[in-house]
């Protein structure tokens, strides 16, 4: 013990005690921080897993919406084609009706002419059937 008291003075003991205290407090503080860091990492990993699942669900919904929109667009394209075909059909029907009107008008005038001819022929027949008076 004499050696210890001869070589170590109060300042050395205080300095060694301070270094020891600092080392112990740093060790426990770092240990606590590492533990908190591990807890945060576990919580953060769980958060990312939950967020990834949520994003996958949202992505699935978005894909379904895109499919629905694409199907609607296909229907619109088909409707455009159908409208074009309907217009073509409508135009050809109009042309057919005009041709039919022309034919009917032509036949109407032909019927008038035939009627006039028949009336003249009927008039001549009735003149021929009348007995002539002596």
């Amino acid at each position: 013990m004499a050696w210890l008291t001869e070589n170590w003075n109060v300042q050395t003991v205080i300095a060694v005690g301070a270094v020891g205290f600092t080392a112990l407090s740093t060790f426990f503080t770092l240990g606590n921080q590492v533990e908190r860091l591990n807890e945060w990492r576990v919580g953060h990993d769980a958060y990312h897993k939950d967020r990834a699942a949520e994003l996958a669900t949202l992505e699935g919904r978005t894909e379904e919406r895109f499919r629905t929109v694409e199907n609607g667009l296909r229907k619109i394209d088909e409707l455009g084609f159908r409208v074009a075909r309907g217009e073509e059909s409508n135009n050809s029907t109009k042309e057919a009706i005009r041709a039919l009107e022309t034919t009917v008008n032509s036949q109407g005038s032909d019927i008038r002419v035939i009627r006039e001819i028949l009336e003249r022929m009927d008039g001549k027949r009735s003149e021929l059937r009348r007995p002539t008076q002596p």
Side-chain angles (χ1 to χ4, degrees):
M1 210 29 133
W3 177 84
L4 186 62
T5 56
E6 287 176 15
N7 291 330
W8 291 68
N9 59 16
V10 173
Q11 293 174 344
T12 306
V13 171
I14 291 174
V16 169
V19 168
F21 177 77
T22 304
L24 286 175
S25 66
T26 303
F27 175 77
F28 287 115
T29 303
L30 285 179
N32 189 21
Q33 287 179 351
V34 167
E35 185 177 313
R36 284 189 7 215
L37 181 63
N38 285 334
E39 290 173 2
W40 178 84
R41 185 182 313 153
V42 168
H44 194 68
D45 288 342
Y47 168 77
H48 278 289
K49 286 178 185 176
D50 292 343
R51 185 68 177 143
E54 182 181 338
L55 288 176
T57 303
L58 289 174
E59 184 178 352
R61 288 180 190 165
T62 303
E63 286 297 321
E64 186 62 33
R65 287 180 186 164
F66 283 146
R67 279 189 218 113
T68 304
V69 168
E70 286 175 352
N71 289 336
L73 287 175
R74 281 190 210 117
K75 288 179 183 178
I76 289 172
D77 289 340
E78 289 175 8
L79 288 176
F81 175 73
R82 288 181 181 177
V83 167
R85 294 295 293 165
E87 288 175 352
E88 289 174 10
S89 175
N90 191 17
N91 289 336
S92 64
T93 303
K94 284 180 182 178
E95 290 174 13
I97 288 173
R98 284 187 193 124
L100 184 60
E101 285 176 349
T102 304
T103 304
V104 167
N105 289 337
S106 172
Q107 286 178 351
S109 62
D110 289 347
I111 290 173
R112 274 188 234 121
V113 170
I114 292 172
R115 183 182 299 155
E116 288 176 12
I117 293 171
L118 288 175
E119 286 174 359
R120 287 181 194 161
M121 287 174 62
D122 195 32
K124 285 184 182 181
R125 263 194 218 160
S126 46
E127 284 178 16
L128 291 175
R129 286 188 185 163
R130 278 189 216 152
T132 54
Q133 295 192 3

